[in-house]
Amino acid sequence: MREESCKIPCFNEEKVKAVKAELVAADIFTISQLFKVVADEHRFKILYALTKQERLCVCDVARIIGATVATTSHHLRTLSKQSILTHEKIGKMVYYQLSNPMIQQLVLDAMNREKEGITYG
């Protein structure tokens, strides 16, 4: 028998109301989209690279993640649309950097958990 569920069906009305009110007030769809964007393996690698190097050009990122410049540009645009990255064009080069320290911390925490052998599955 599974131990993860209650043996007596009941709930704490105060706790349920409090959390539901917060969920209604938040834009859960937008937040879930953020996690979907970050969940892609290539985009996570990009984010990790940008935690290690403050600023990288598209060509550097492409080499790091093992993808074409076109594919990498697509991933970088996707991350930029979510306001995760900012970019600066200098001459013919475009450099990207993280725009949110919260994302940097999320990526570093995930990598530290993996290094410690803590799984998510």
Side-chain angles (χ1 to χ4, degrees):
M1 176 172 252
R2 295 184 67 148
E3 295 293 324
E4 292 107 23
S5 57
C6 298
K7 296 184 190 239
I8 302 170
C10 66
F11 65 94
N12 183 312
E13 192 169 344
E14 270 185 45
K15 289 180 180 179
V16 171
K17 281 183 179 180
V19 173
K20 284 180 84 171
E22 288 182 33
L23 288 172
V24 167
D27 184 356
I28 299 301
F29 178 78
T30 300
I31 295 167
S32 68
Q33 294 306 303
L34 168 69
F35 280 95
K36 283 181 183 178
V37 166
V38 174
D40 178 87
E41 185 178 339
H42 282 107
R43 290 190 285 260
F44 188 85
K45 286 179 182 179
I46 291 168
L47 295 175
Y48 183 71
L50 288 169
T51 67
K52 295 300 177 183
Q53 298 296 322
E54 184 178 332
R55 202 170 79 147
L56 291 168
C57 76
V58 177
C59 297
D60 289 338
V61 174
R63 299 281 288 199
I64 289 168
I65 69 170
T68 65
V69 171
T71 297
T72 303
S73 293
H74 169 75
H75 288 304
L76 291 166
R77 272 191 306 279
T78 301
L79 290 164
S80 293
K81 285 180 185 175
Q82 287 286 328
S83 300
I84 295 171
L85 301 181
T86 59
H87 65 277
E88 177 183 14
K89 188 171 184 176
I90 300 174
K92 293 183 179 187
M93 304 293 288
V94 179
Y95 293 91
Y96 285 84
Q97 62 189 41
L98 291 170
S99 65
N100 188 328
M102 179 189 73
I103 297 296
Q104 180 173 1
Q105 193 59 53
L106 177 69
V107 169
L108 291 174
D109 286 349
M111 289 297 285
N112 286 335
R113 286 180 60 93
E114 191 278 330
K115 287 176 186 173
E116 293 169 5
I118 300 170
T119 61
Y120 294 101

